[in-house]
Structure formats: structure tokens, C-alpha cells
Amino acid sequence: MTLPLALADILAARQAIAGTAVRTPLIPSPHLSEATGTEVLLKLESFQATGAFKLRGALNAVARLPPDTPGVTCCSTGNHGRALAFAARARGLPAIVCMSTLVPAAKVDAIRALGAEARIIGRSQDEAALESRRLAEEEGLAEIPPFDHRHVITGQGTAGLELMEDRPDLATVLVPLSGGGLAAGVALAVKSANPATRVIGISMDRGAAMHAAFAAGHPVPIVEVESLADSLGGGLGADNRLTYSLCRALLDDILLVTEPEIYRAMQALYWHDRLVTEGAAAVGAAALLSGRVAPAGPAALLVTGRNVDMPTFTRVVTGQPVTLGTLTLEGRPDAA
């Protein structure tokens, strides 16, 4: 099968973002290693300047814009918008980030702090995407979508390059999965280095867009609901050009984890590994701790971001109740 992107595109992206996006550390997790009986490593994308992996793709996309670009726009569940605001400010461009009412206030405030306009539209990323598209069509802004964009995908893929350079013997890579920009880019880099390495996408079990698309054979509308993994919300878009086909070709599996499993994984990463993580960043750990995946050899999971609402995070890691619609989560952490 001929893919629309190649390893050379990811190598070019690495040059474009060098000096701003950092090469993030890959560290062992003794707790997850003991729990699974195999070596588990954590790729700390939460160490990027904007607190999440999204900076890689945003920087690469903004670097490719023509000099006369009047400004940029996007839709976002939070982290892409923050990354685009950062990249746009570095280039002196105005930015408008369109988000739904489901995006936590902490993420909205962080985007505004970077000088971008945060525009709240509707209750889904699909609704926010319509406003971003309108701004591009009617006001001439350059639209940089959060995942289905070749330079965003290849920018995210640079994390996969680093993984395989640091540990070419990896048997399994676990990637948080939403629209598929990160999963597609990382899988392309990983499979280019070692086709035998399994790449597994992990989503929450409520509103998982790529999982629903795989089941239907094409992108389908999904209902977005409140989730600890709010960064994984949003649909693929009916006109998806790249990420669905790339994920279909490159991912070995997609696994779903529950909200209680995400809750416990956030606790584990905090108490055992001393990491502040969003729910979306903890889904790989949730898949391991729940036994949904049992790697046969060294495994790495991407800890994708730290941009969590801190009052909610504090409740999670201290075992206090957290309410998501009609669902209430609670439970004392085992290491507290």
C-alpha cells in the first residue's frame, strides 16, 4: 500500500521544529514494569513548553506558512489550540482558537494567556470546526486543523523518531488516540524503523472517534460526552483525508479503557512516577494496569500532556469524587 506520507517528511519536520520543541526524555516506570512483568518506559511529551505533544505539529505547520499569511485559526479540545497560539505568537501572527463548551476552563485560559482569541462555539469539536473553517474561507486566515493535516501529522511523528532512536528494541508502543494525528505520525516513524514493533492506539470507551470509524469502515459522527480524557474528544470529520487511512494501515490495534481505569491510572502515574498527567495522557497506563494489553517485550507509552484542571486533578489523586455527567468516580489511591 502506498501511503500519502513518508519517513522523509518526518525527518524534514524534525529540522523545522528543532530548537523550539524539545527532545523529550524516555524514562523507566518501575511501578508499571512490576505490574506488567515487562520493562515499561514513559515518553514524557508533557515536558514540552506548552505542556503537550501538540507543539511539535503546530510548529511544523506554522513554519510552512507563506510570509504574507494574515493569521491562523483552528478548532481544538485545548492542547492543539495552546500549541498553535504559542507557534503563532513566536512568528508574530494573530490566532483564533475555536473550542466547544466541553473544553476545561484551564485550557481556555492558557490559550488566552498566549495572546490568542479563544472562541467558544457549541458543544462539540465538530461545531467548533465549522467556525474555524468559516474564518479561513471568509476572513482568509490559515486553518491548521488539530490532526488531519500533513505537517501536523509529520510534526507529531518526530516523537516516534526519538522513541526508536532511544530504544530500537521496543516491542510495543502505546499511543493515546483521538483524531489520529499523533498515532499516525508515531506509527509511521515506528514502523519505518521496525515493522515488527506493535503500535496500539488507546482511547476512552465513551466517544472514541477512530474506534467507531474502524467499526463502520469509514469516519462516522460520534456523540461527545464529559470524560477525564477530554483531550481525546471530537470526531474525525466526514472529509477526513489522512489520519483515518494512515491509522487503518499502520495501527496494529485500538483498545478502549473506562473512566474508572483512567482515574486509577492518573493516580498511579502521580503516586508512583510523580507525574501530573491529563486523563488523555494516562490512557496507556490504564490499558496496562487493567490488563487490556500485555506486551511481550519492552513497551513505551506516550505521556502526552500535563494540561489538566488542577482542582479536578487534586480530587483524582486524593481519591475524592469526580462527577462526569451521570457518572461519579472515586477511590483511594493505593500508594497514598
Side-chain angles (χ1 to χ4, degrees):
M1 178 181 178
T2 301
L3 298 176
L5 299 173
L7 179 61
D9 299 309
I10 299 177
L11 293 170
R14 174 152 66 180
Q15 290 185 313
I17 69 177
T20 306
V22 300
R23 185 186 184 100
T24 55
L26 182 65
I27 66 167
S29 171
H31 174 66
L32 290 175
S33 298
E34 182 179 357
T36 59
T38 192
E39 183 181 14
V40 176
L41 302 155
L42 307 175
K43 176 69 169 165
L44 299 182
E45 284 300 295
S46 52
F47 280 26
Q48 294 291 352
T50 58
F53 75 95
K54 290 283 191 177
L55 186 60
R56 295 176 183 266
L59 286 169
N60 191 41
V62 168
R64 316 291 177 161
L65 293 175
D68 59 351
T69 299
V72 296
T73 185
C74 71
C75 66
S76 176
T77 54
N79 285 335
H80 175 65
R82 186 172 182 174
L84 186 62
F86 183 100
R89 186 175 71 170
R91 189 163 160 177
L93 292 173
I96 300 176
V97 179
C98 303
M99 294 170 285
S100 81
T101 56
L102 292 177
V103 175
K107 292 184 177 181
V108 176
D109 292 343
I111 288 166
R112 289 178 174 144
L114 287 167
E117 177 186 341
R119 192 167 291 187
I120 308 302
I121 306 290
R123 278 191 55 82
S124 73
Q125 181 165 266
D126 288 344
E127 291 178 85
L130 292 175
E131 175 64 6
S132 178
R133 192 165 302 125
R134 185 195 68 78
L135 290 167
E137 293 172 353
E138 298 181 11
E139 300 186 24
L141 301 183
E143 185 177 24
I144 299 177
F147 52 87
D148 196 36
H149 185 288
R150 64 183 300 110
H151 298 314
V152 170
I153 295 167
T154 53
Q156 320 304 27
T158 59
L161 284 182
E162 294 171 12
L163 266 179
M164 299 308 286
E165 288 170 351
D166 289 346
R167 285 298 299 265
D169 62 329
L170 286 173
T172 305
V173 175
L174 304 181
V175 189
L177 175 62
S178 178
L182 177 66
V186 167
L188 178 58
V190 169
K191 294 291 188 180
S192 296
N194 184 358
T197 302
R198 287 174 54 79
V199 182
I200 301 174
I202 315 292
S203 291
M204 69 293 202
D205 68 352
R206 308 194 306 164
M210 191 66 75
H211 184 267
F214 273 35
H218 56 84
V220 294
I222 52 100
V223 176
E224 292 185 52
V225 297
E226 289 184 78
S227 171
L228 285 176
D230 55 86
S231 293
L232 300 185
L236 300 186
D239 58 348
N240 187 282
R241 298 177 299 108
L242 294 168
T243 58
Y244 171 73
S245 60
L246 284 166
C247 286
R248 192 90 202 196
L250 296 169
L251 291 183
D252 293 286
D253 202 357
I254 296 177
L255 300 175
L256 303 182
V257 293
T258 68
E259 297 295 327
E261 288 165 351
I262 297 169
Y263 183 96
R264 290 191 291 272
M266 291 172 71
Q267 292 179 334
L269 288 169
Y270 177 75
W271 288 105
H272 294 287
D273 298 292
R274 299 299 191 260
L275 295 174
V276 173
T277 57
E278 302 175 39
V283 294
L288 290 173
L289 291 170
S290 65
R292 295 183 187 277
V293 59
L301 58 89
L302 280 85
V303 178
T304 47
R306 66 174 188 264
N307 298 326
V308 62
D309 175 73
M310 288 307 294
T312 299
F313 181 78
T314 300
R315 296 184 71 82
V316 170
V317 299
T318 55
Q320 299 178 61
V322 173
T323 300
L324 303 168
T326 60
L327 179 65
T328 298
L329 308 170
E330 60 184 313
R332 182 175 173 81
D334 62 9

